[in-house]
């Protein structure tokens, strides 16, 4: 076979030159279907482009959809001279109004094992079929197609390929030929856009496609995209990078006269249908947005996706709060919303740097990230995510504002101006969506807000029981001294008592890379991957966690791994934890130590707690929380009236210190050298460092500007 003639833009295609002789080996039966409607100018060349193929044709089926020009006369005259190939010419009595009706009619009339729908206004190189048919030596291939050069009404080359129309990925994938699994092609490419631009470029394995083509009739623009995705569920796709198909763009092309709103709706419909059916990566969701972005300027507000902006604090490695935000941002994206993230300007970080941090720390986030709270576009909903973000949210315009609340943040602060200011942030009336029931109860009972919540859940693919890990006589403690709500002074004092009374107990500290010394022997693991957290939970007897401003997600993850948990008895922990799987102790080192020691000596109770927690968390996979959050956001847009009835789930008495532990603790803690490393002083230090950097950067800028003026 001769190589295709290399073409350049503005060349004129002449299909009557360089015609090769017919091949005569490994020939399969292929039917060619030419659907026509008012293409008198192109129909003769189209028929010739089929007859000139080097691959022998089994039969030719020409359809006319009640043309009003001279197409019928031209076709009838042309087929008089076709002797060696069976020809059927089928004329519609009335115009069908839909190309897929004609496609289906032609397919049902065909008797070949393969078929080619060669649209009447397109053309082809004589090697088109010879190239595409080779792929069907693989019996699993159901569609085989080539690259398309684009030509105008006068056969002048507009573009030597069509990658500018479908390669929004900016990859070199289509520079080479390939065969790919159909499902993989759907998930990674057709889930985003239609990468097969022209049906004339495709040869199909013959099959019953009646239902697929019937459903395609409901589409005005994207019906071919729908058809390819459904057909590829049945087998493989083959692609040749040679532009043997000539895709004609002209004034009568359907794609130039459709309304943007219709096209946008159909794009969204197909993207969402495939996303619901297959597990797509978050990068794919971002590419779906990129595809829609090309139409944003031409689409009415009522049609486009709802847009949600999030104002968040600067991301920090190991921040569970940020991880929760990003997970729920992605949940909204999966549910059909478009999300952007805004962070405060620090005069050091660029938008690209912060985006990289977010993706690195918490997993890929399918949104755009901007440094500086200046909204880049109009949004339908704006989320505050903490008291430090409130001033920014207050000062920008948005139709709806909401408050994503993970902690009762006034408790982060000493009583004073900032405490009251933070408390006042709840009085602004932004619709709260909280993690856990207690915070919603707080918003409802103290601030009269119509609050919604989503439950504490765990990734059950990560947090689970492991049979291959040996249990140790050990405790794991989430140690984060930089977070005051973790009450590290109380926690370390409690563990100091435990270690003094039970020196054989091993203590693991994790969750922070701080270098602080601790007053007992312990293994400091630092910030560890979540998979390592699950291994840790499986080898320990007890998990110890303190969170004084809302339940932490960590105890729920511990329970999912079958680890009994000890926490402190405060009002924030009474509405979300299941009774029996966790012990809540009075928030004193002596009471916590008593609880831990009693449990270490009671294997029966530990086993009972492990089973209760593990079975409870089976009903709380991470996906459930995401569904609840998305439902809450949907409720905000539908203005649905919410009625919430929240009751306590933990009604046991708090675990209290025993007399023996109290007495022993006096001596153990007598020379207690534990210094709280969190608190206001640490926050002031961090603030001072940041302001110093900003000041130096600003000063340097002023110096440079001054020099430039000289």
């Amino acid at each position: 076979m001769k190589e295709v003639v290399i073409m350049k833009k503005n060349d004129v295609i002449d299909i009557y030159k360089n015609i090769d002789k017919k091949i005569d080996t490994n020939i399969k039966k292929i039917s060619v279907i030419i659907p026509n409607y008012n293409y008198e100018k192109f129909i003769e060349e189209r028929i010739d482009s089929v007859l000139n193929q080097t691959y022998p044709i089994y039969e030719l089926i020409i359809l006319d959809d009640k043309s009003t020009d001279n197409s019928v006369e031209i076709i009838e005259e042309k087929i008089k001279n076709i002797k060696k190939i069976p020809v059927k010419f089928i004329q519609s009595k009335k115009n069908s109004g839909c190309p897929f009706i004609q496609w289906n009619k032609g397919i049902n009339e065909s008797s070949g094992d393969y078929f080619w729908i060669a649209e009447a206004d397109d053309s082809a190189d004589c090697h088109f079929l010879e190239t595409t048919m080779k792929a069907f030596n693989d019996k699993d291939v159901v569609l085989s197609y080539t690259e398309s050069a684009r030509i105008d009404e006068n056969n002048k080359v507009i573009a030597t390929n069509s990658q500018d129309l479908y390669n929004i990925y900016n990859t070199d994938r289509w520079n080479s030929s390939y065969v790919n699994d159909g499902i993989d092609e759907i998930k990674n490419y057709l889930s985003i856009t239609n990468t097969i631009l022209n049906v004339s470029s495709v040869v199909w394995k013959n099959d019953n496609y009646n239902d697929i083509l019937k459903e395609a009739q409901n589409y005005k623009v994207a019906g071919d995209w729908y058809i390819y995705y459904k057909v590829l569920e049945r087998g493989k796709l083959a692609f040749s990078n040679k532009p043997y198909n000539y895709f004609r763009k002209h004034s009568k092309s359907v794609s130039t006269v459709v309304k943007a709103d219709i096209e946008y709706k159909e794009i969204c419909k197909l993207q969402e249908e495939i996303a619901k059916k297959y597990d797509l990566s978050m990068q794919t969701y971002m590419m779906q947005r990129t595809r829609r972005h090309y139409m944003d300027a031409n689409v009415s507000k009522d049609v486009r996706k709802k847009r949600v902006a999030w104002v968040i604090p600067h991301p920090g490695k190991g921040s569970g709060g940020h991880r929760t935000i990003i997970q729920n941002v992605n949940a909204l994206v999966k549910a059909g919303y478009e999300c952007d993230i805004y962070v405060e300007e620090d005069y050091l970080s660029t938008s690209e740097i912060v985006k990289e941090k977010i993706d690195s720390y918490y997993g890929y986030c399918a949104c755009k990230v901007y440094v500086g709270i200046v909204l880049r576009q109009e949004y339908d909903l704006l989320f505050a995510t903490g008291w430090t973000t409130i001033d920014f949210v207050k000062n920008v315009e948005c139709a709806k504002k909401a408050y994503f609340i993970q902690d009762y943040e006034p408790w982060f602060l000493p009583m004073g101006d900032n405490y009251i200011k933070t408390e006042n942030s709840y009085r602004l009336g932004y619709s709260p969506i909280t993690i856990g029931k207690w915070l919603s109860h707080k918003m409802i009972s103290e601030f009269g807000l119509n609050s919604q919540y989503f439950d504490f859940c765990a990734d059950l693919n990560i947090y689970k029981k492991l049979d291959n890990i040996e249990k140790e006589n050990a405790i794991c403690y989430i140690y984060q001294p930089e977070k005051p709500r973790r009450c590290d002074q109380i926690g370390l004092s409690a563990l100091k008592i435990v270690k003094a009374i039970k020196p054989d107990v091993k203590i693991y500290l994790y969750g922070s890379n701080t270098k602080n010394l601790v007053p007992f022997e312990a293994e400091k693991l630092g910030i560890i991957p979540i998979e390592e957290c699950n291994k840790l939970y499986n080898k320990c007897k007890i998990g110890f966690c303190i969170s004084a401003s809302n339940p932490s997600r960590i105890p729920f993850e511990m329970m999912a791994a079958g680890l009994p948990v000890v926490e402190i008895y405060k009002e924030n922990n009474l509405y979300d934890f299941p009774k029996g799987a966790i012990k809540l102790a009075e928030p004193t080192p002596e009471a916590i130590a008593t609880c831990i020691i009693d449990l270490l000596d009671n294997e029966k109770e530990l086993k009972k707690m492990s089973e209760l927690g593990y079975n409870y968390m089976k009903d709380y996979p991470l996906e459930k929380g995401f569904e609840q959050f998305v439902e809450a956001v949907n409720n905000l847009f539908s203005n649905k009236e919410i009625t919430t009835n929240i009751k306590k789930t933990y009604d046991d008495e708090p675990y209290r210190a025993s007399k023996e532990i109290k007495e022993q603790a006096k001596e153990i803690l007598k020379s207690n050298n534990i210094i709280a490393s969190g608190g206001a002083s640490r926050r002031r230090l961090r603030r001072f460092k940041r302001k110093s950097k900003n000041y130096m950067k600003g000063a340097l800028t002023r110096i440079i500007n001054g020099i430039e003026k000289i």
Side-chain angles (χ1 to χ4, degrees):
M1 185 179 85
K2 292 180 181 178
E3 281 292 313
V4 66
V5 177
I6 297 173
M7 66 183 79
K8 301 187 297 294
K9 188 175 180 180
N10 295 324
D11 282 354
V12 176
I13 295 296
D14 185 351
I15 67 165
Y16 300 99
K17 287 184 178 180
N18 303 313
I19 299 174
D20 250 349
K21 64 180 181 179
K22 303 286 184 185
I23 65 172
D24 56 8
T25 58
N26 194 23
I27 304 303
K28 300 176 176 65
K29 294 180 180 179
I30 178 162
S31 304
V32 180
I33 302 162
I34 302 179
N36 175 74
Y37 177 67
N38 283 351
Y39 285 132
E40 63 178 3
K41 183 177 179 181
F42 309 115
I43 186 63
E44 185 170 5
E45 179 184 330
R46 172 38 107 189
I47 295 172
D48 286 338
S49 75
V50 171
L51 299 176
N52 289 345
Q53 290 296 307
T54 59
Y55 197 98
I57 306 301
Y58 178 67
E59 65 180 347
L60 177 61
I61 301 165
I62 303 174
L63 309 170
D64 186 79
D65 202 15
K66 194 65 176 175
S67 292
T68 58
D69 63 4
N70 293 321
S71 292
V72 171
E73 290 82 358
I74 294 171
I75 294 169
E76 288 177 333
E77 186 64 29
K78 183 70 178 176
I79 63 178
K80 287 179 182 178
N81 300 315
I82 302 175
K83 305 298 183 184
K84 295 181 180 181
I85 302 169
V87 179
K88 296 179 185 177
F89 181 33
I90 303 169
Q91 300 179 53
S92 299
K93 293 182 179 180
K94 64 177 182 178
N95 182 261
S96 67
C98 177
F100 308 123
I101 294 175
Q102 293 297 95
W103 290 14
N104 202 26
K105 183 188 294 185
I107 295 168
N108 289 333
E109 288 287 339
S110 68
S111 56
D113 297 320
Y114 304 88
F115 63 84
W116 172 26
I117 299 175
E119 292 191 308
D121 55 334
D122 295 323
S123 189
D125 182 88
C126 65
H127 300 102
F128 171 77
L129 280 181
E130 187 178 350
T131 302
T132 51
M133 289 304 295
K134 284 180 180 178
F136 292 108
N137 292 330
D138 182 339
K139 294 181 180 179
D140 293 329
V141 170
V142 292
L143 294 179
S144 176
Y145 79 112
T146 74
E147 179 61 89
S148 295
R150 299 203 303 280
I151 59 176
D152 68 9
E153 296 178 358
N154 300 308
N155 283 5
K156 183 186 287 186
V157 176
I158 301 170
T160 57
N161 63 53
S162 296
Q163 286 199 34
D164 58 312
L165 299 181
Y166 62 78
N167 188 8
I168 62 174
Y169 319 81
N170 293 319
T171 75
D172 60 0
R173 181 175 193 263
W174 289 279
N175 293 341
S176 303
S177 302
Y178 65 83
V179 176
N180 192 28
D181 175 74
I183 301 300
D184 184 78
E185 193 77 18
I186 293 166
K187 289 171 64 174
N188 294 302
Y189 301 99
L190 287 173
S191 62
I192 299 165
T193 192
N194 183 12
T195 55
I196 307 173
L197 291 180
N198 181 217
V199 70
S200 295
S201 70
V202 185
V203 175
W204 316 50
K205 178 182 281 189
N206 212 340
D207 202 347
N208 183 351
Y209 299 128
N210 289 331
D211 290 343
I212 295 174
L213 289 160
K214 183 178 180 180
E215 178 62 28
Q217 294 172 31
N218 295 320
Y219 291 84
K220 300 291 185 184
V221 182
D224 53 346
W225 180 4
Y226 170 81
I227 292 167
Y228 300 141
Y229 126 63
K230 296 302 292 184
V231 172
L232 284 175
E233 290 184 320
R234 302 183 182 187
K236 295 179 183 177
L237 173 73
F239 168 73
S240 170
N241 66 331
K242 303 297 184 183
Y244 288 134
N245 178 61
Y246 303 142
F247 178 21
R248 197 182 305 275
K249 302 293 288 182
H250 53 85
S251 58
K252 292 185 179 180
S253 296
V254 175
S255 57
T256 62
V257 297
V258 297
K259 291 185 178 179
D261 281 7
I262 295 173
E263 184 177 0
Y264 189 89
K265 284 180 181 179
E266 292 186 1
I267 289 171
C268 292
K269 180 179 178 180
L270 279 169
Q271 287 182 342
E272 290 167 6
E273 180 176 326
I274 294 172
K276 287 177 182 177
K277 197 167 188 177
Y278 298 103
D279 183 22
L280 305 183
S281 69
M282 294 314 303
Q283 288 88 342
T284 300
Y285 282 99
M286 192 64 179
M287 292 306 300
Q288 285 187 336
R289 173 175 173 171
T290 301
R291 172 63 183 90
R292 297 190 301 268
H293 170 77
Y294 289 113
M295 301 192 66
D296 279 355
N298 301 315
V299 175
S300 63
K301 182 179 177 181
D302 293 338
V303 169
R304 66 165 169 74
K305 295 271 189 177
K306 296 291 186 186
R307 295 172 177 170
V308 181
W310 297 71
V311 183
I312 72 169
H314 272 273
K317 192 172 184 179
S319 169
H322 279 87
R323 183 178 296 279
T324 299
I325 291 170
I326 299 308
Q327 287 175 334
N328 283 281
V329 168
N330 281 341
L332 272 191
V333 170
K334 285 186 173 183
Y337 291 88
E338 290 185 358
C339 293
D340 291 332
I341 287 176
Y342 291 83
V343 299
E344 179 185 0
E345 175 66 79
D346 66 351
Y347 304 100
L348 298 173
S349 304
T350 64
S351 298
E352 291 74 21
I353 288 172
V354 177
K355 171 65 171 165
E356 287 175 8
K357 284 183 178 180
I358 288 172
D359 293 345
S360 172
Y361 295 164
Y362 321 116
Y364 186 86
C365 184
C367 67
K368 295 181 180 180
V369 176
Y370 301 104
V371 170
I373 318 299
V374 178
L375 300 187
R376 276 29 176 215
Q377 61 180 350
E378 182 182 358
Y379 293 94
D380 304 290
L381 176 65
L382 179 61
F383 266 112
T385 58
W387 71 281
T388 59
T389 68
I390 282 294
D391 284 342
F392 300 107
V393 173
K394 280 168 58 178
N395 293 323
V396 295
E397 293 296 323
C398 189
K400 292 181 182 291
K401 295 182 180 181
Y403 207 155
F404 188 85
I405 307 176
Q406 299 188 66
D407 287 284
Y408 190 67
E409 292 184 324
W411 288 353
F412 288 6
L413 305 161
M415 179 56 73
D417 278 344
N418 284 337
Y419 181 102
I420 300 300
K421 278 182 179 179
T422 306
E423 200 174 58
N424 284 342
S425 70
Y426 305 130
R427 296 187 174 98
L428 293 171
Y430 302 156
S431 301
I433 301 178
T434 72
I435 179 167
K437 301 179 182 70
W438 171 71
L439 272 172
S440 266
H441 169 74
K442 193 91 170 162
M443 294 299 110
I444 295 166
S445 60
E446 294 195 18
F447 300 95
L449 295 172
N450 196 16
S451 184
Q452 302 180 81
Y453 69 86
F454 57 99
D455 285 308
F456 286 96
C457 298
D459 186 343
L460 302 187
N461 295 315
I462 300 293
Y463 299 101
K464 55 190 175 183
K465 287 184 178 182
L466 302 174
D467 297 329
N468 59 341
I469 295 202
E470 187 176 346
K471 188 70 74 175
E472 298 178 2
N473 186 30
I475 303 163
C476 56
Y477 170 51
I478 180 72
Y479 173 57
Q480 296 175 318
E482 64 274 17
K483 298 178 180 178
R485 67 182 180 277
R486 292 294 186 195
C487 305
D488 62 300
Q489 185 176 22
I490 293 172
L492 292 178
S493 295
L495 291 176
K496 184 178 181 183
I497 297 169
V498 172
K499 188 66 176 175
I501 295 173
K502 286 190 168 292
D504 59 327
V505 172
K506 187 167 186 177
I507 297 175
Y508 292 99
L509 307 181
Y510 73 106
S512 173
N513 289 329
T514 179
K515 303 299 183 182
N516 294 358
L517 296 175
V518 296
F520 51 83
E521 182 184 354
E523 185 170 340
K524 297 176 74 173
L525 303 175
I527 296 174
I528 58 177
I530 55 178
E531 291 82 5
E532 292 302 313
C533 288
N534 185 58
K535 291 179 183 177
L536 179 65
Y537 300 158
N538 272 269
K539 71 181 179 181
C540 289
K541 282 188 175 181
I542 294 172
F544 175 33
C545 175
I546 298 180
S547 182
S549 54
N550 196 27
S552 169
R553 188 188 290 275
I554 289 166
F556 297 91
E557 294 168 344
M558 290 176 169
M559 287 189 288
L563 181 64
V565 181
V566 172
E567 243 277 17
I568 62 171
Y569 188 97
K570 294 285 292 180
E571 69 166 274
N572 59 287
N573 287 329
L574 303 181
Y575 290 80
D576 294 281
F577 287 120
K579 182 178 178 180
I582 187 168
K583 299 292 184 186
L584 301 183
E586 286 185 338
T588 67
E590 295 83 358
I592 295 168
T594 300
C595 183
I596 291 174
I597 290 169
D598 285 355
L599 286 175
L600 287 171
D601 292 335
N602 192 339
E603 290 291 340
K604 185 177 179 180
E605 183 65 15
L606 286 175
K607 184 178 180 181
K608 178 183 173 184
M609 291 176 67
S610 173
E611 290 176 354
L612 283 169
Y614 177 74
N615 290 325
Y616 174 82
M617 290 306 298
K618 284 181 179 177
D619 294 329
Y620 290 89
L622 209 52
E623 294 74 21
K624 178 176 181 175
F626 297 151
E627 290 170 4
Q628 291 172 321
F629 174 70
V630 170
E631 182 181 3
V633 173
N634 291 341
N635 290 339
L636 294 182
F637 282 107
S638 66
N639 297 314
K640 183 178 178 180
E641 186 174 343
I642 308 300
T643 55
T644 308
N645 183 22
I646 299 173
K647 295 180 179 179
K648 290 181 182 179
T649 57
Y650 190 95
D651 57 5
D652 285 349
E653 289 294 311
Y655 219 97
R656 295 184 171 86
S658 68
K659 290 182 180 179
E660 293 79 8
I661 297 295
K662 282 183 178 179
E663 288 301 315
Q664 290 176 282
K666 287 179 183 178
E667 189 62 30
I668 295 168
L669 299 179
K670 192 172 184 180
S671 58
N672 202 6
N673 58 354
I674 298 171
I675 300 173
S677 48
S681 60
R682 188 175 181 87
R683 287 195 301 276
R684 285 196 295 269
L685 178 61
R686 290 201 303 266
R687 198 177 299 124
F688 174 75
K689 286 181 178 179
R690 189 170 64 185
K691 286 185 176 180
S692 297
K693 288 179 182 177
N694 294 346
Y695 175 79
M696 293 300 294
K697 187 175 180 67
L700 182 61
T701 302
R702 288 193 293 273
I703 291 170
I704 292 170
N705 291 341
I707 292 171
E708 290 176 346
K709 290 179 180 178
I710 296 174

